[in-house]
Amino acid sequence: MTLGVNIDHVAVLREARRVNDPDILNALYVACASGADQITIHLREDRRHIQDIDASNILKHSTLPVNLECSINRDILSIVCKLKPHRATLVPEKREEVTTEGGLDVFTYEDEISYAIEQLHDSIIPVSLFVDPTLQAIEKSKELGAEMVELHTGSFANVFAMLNSSLSHSNHSIKELELPRYELQERLENSIEDIINAAKHAKKIGLEVAAGHGLNYHNVSYMMKIQEITELNIGQSIIARSVFSGLANAVKEMKRLTTR
Ligand code: PXP
């Protein structure tokens, strides 16, 4: 399993104080030396964490492949084409969102996505599409010319957290998931089945399959059982754990859990 470590949250902390600490390049070196197989970053339109100069420095100094997530905004795309990451992952973006809340709408934005893939391919950058785990989205991703899909595991992770953590008792409880436990259990099983079916179908039609969003030390074992998934991109939980145990230990432990 390829472990992509998303280091955006180190930049979130830096931007909170608008200083140069913590240094994103230190995070890069530690992640590279501690078992990550890939570095993942998201150059957002609002630049709330990673800045253009970070992306450029990370690409210059990373000893690992860099997976650069970006929206289909044309200004961002032209920056990404110049940066030439090892792969670009197209993600949906809304200014007001806390984090990427769902997969790309590959139907509504089919023309824009198709244009983005063309531009990236012209710059010899392979493309992954971050999509919800539905057969229709997988089919469409193939039709649009992507090499890979990353399955959005956010719904699975939300249900898992409401069922197996104290989230439902906190002020971040997910209102629409305040349901009886048997119903949450059923939703969890359905969400896993959706991911399995989407992964199998993607592999069958020749797409590489990654997964990501909301994965952590407790729920990642579910993804490890799905043989078609060959890459996981994980950020929040690794950086959160690093506050207590250090980034090297946090990456090493996730690598241990994601080794088949
Ligand atoms: N994969 C993609 C495409 C993402 O947009 C994100 C969040 O930036 C992640 C993976 C990592 O998600 P998390 O921080 O919840 O682990």
Side-chain angles (χ1 to χ4, degrees):
M1 179 71 85
T2 297
L3 173 62
V5 175
N6 183 320
I7 56 175
D8 291 343
H9 289 287
V10 174
V12 169
L13 194 53
R14 180 195 63 193
E15 294 301 306
R17 291 296 292 267
R18 298 192 182 278
V19 287
N20 56 357
D21 185 30
D23 185 337
I24 194 82
L25 287 183
N26 283 340
L28 170 74
Y29 300 139
V30 173
C32 287
S34 307
D37 301 301
Q38 165 174 285
I39 298 299
T40 294
I41 50 173
H42 183 175
L43 185 65
R44 289 187 66 101
E45 288 167 37
D46 61 13
R47 305 298 199 277
R48 69 171 69 156
H49 38 56
I50 294 291
Q51 308 293 309
D52 302 47
I53 186 76
D54 296 323
S56 157
N57 283 336
I58 287 167
L59 273 154
K60 198 189 294 177
H61 296 286
S62 178
T63 53
L64 296 172
V66 176
N67 169 33
L68 183 50
E69 299 171 5
C70 65
S71 73
I72 51 176
N73 172 293
R74 291 196 177 193
D75 294 337
I76 290 280
L77 277 174
S78 73
I79 295 170
V80 173
C81 286
K82 285 191 197 110
L83 285 168
K84 293 204 186 302
H86 300 81
R87 187 203 302 134
T89 298
L90 296 178
V91 302
E93 231 178 79
K94 286 190 236 126
R95 291 275 159 131
E96 66 281 9
E97 70 190 357
V98 175
T99 181
T100 318
E101 280 163 3
L104 260 182
D105 183 344
V106 283
F107 299 98
T108 306
Y109 300 106
E110 139 172 42
D111 293 342
E112 291 86 342
I113 294 168
S114 180
Y115 173 83
I117 293 176
E118 220 176 277
Q119 295 295 302
L120 292 162
H121 281 174
D122 283 351
S123 299
I124 329 281
I125 302 168
V127 181
S128 178
L129 300 183
F130 190 41
V131 293
D132 290 323
T134 68
L135 299 187
Q136 297 87 327
I138 301 299
E139 281 285 333
K140 194 71 184 173
S141 301
K142 177 74 179 172
E143 186 191 314
L144 290 171
E147 282 81 23
M148 186 168 194
V149 282
E150 179 169 338
L151 303 177
H152 193 295
T153 51
S155 302
F156 155 76
N158 284 346
V159 177
F160 186 94
M162 289 295 279
L163 198 52
N164 297 306
S165 79
S166 58
L167 184 68
S168 63
H169 296 281
S170 78
N171 57 356
H172 298 308
S173 173
I174 302 163
K175 291 281 165 259
E176 60 275 21
L177 290 178
E178 288 178 351
L179 301 166
R181 291 186 66 77
Y182 75 88
E183 216 170 302
L184 283 176
Q185 189 62 47
E186 199 175 302
R187 286 195 184 213
L188 185 68
E189 282 157 23
N190 290 341
S191 70
I192 294 164
E193 200 155 310
D194 288 346
I195 296 170
I196 293 173
N197 291 337
K200 282 190 188 307
H201 191 62
K203 169 102 194 277
K204 190 168 136 204
I205 64 175
L207 291 166
E208 285 183 78
V209 192
H213 204 88
L215 298 179
N216 61 36
Y217 297 86
H218 307 289
N219 65 24
V220 75
S221 60
Y222 287 80
M223 297 302 118
M224 292 304 296
K225 291 183 198 144
I226 308 173
Q227 293 304 320
E228 290 78 8
I229 297 177
T230 55
E231 176 180 312
L232 299 173
N233 289 299
I234 307 180
Q236 157 78 22
S237 63
I238 294 177
I239 305 304
R241 179 166 289 209
S242 75
V243 171
F244 303 107
S245 69
L247 184 56
N249 288 330
V251 173
K252 279 181 198 162
E253 176 60 3
M254 189 56 86
K255 182 63 189 169
R256 189 182 71 75
L257 295 175
T258 55
T259 298
R260 282 188 166 127

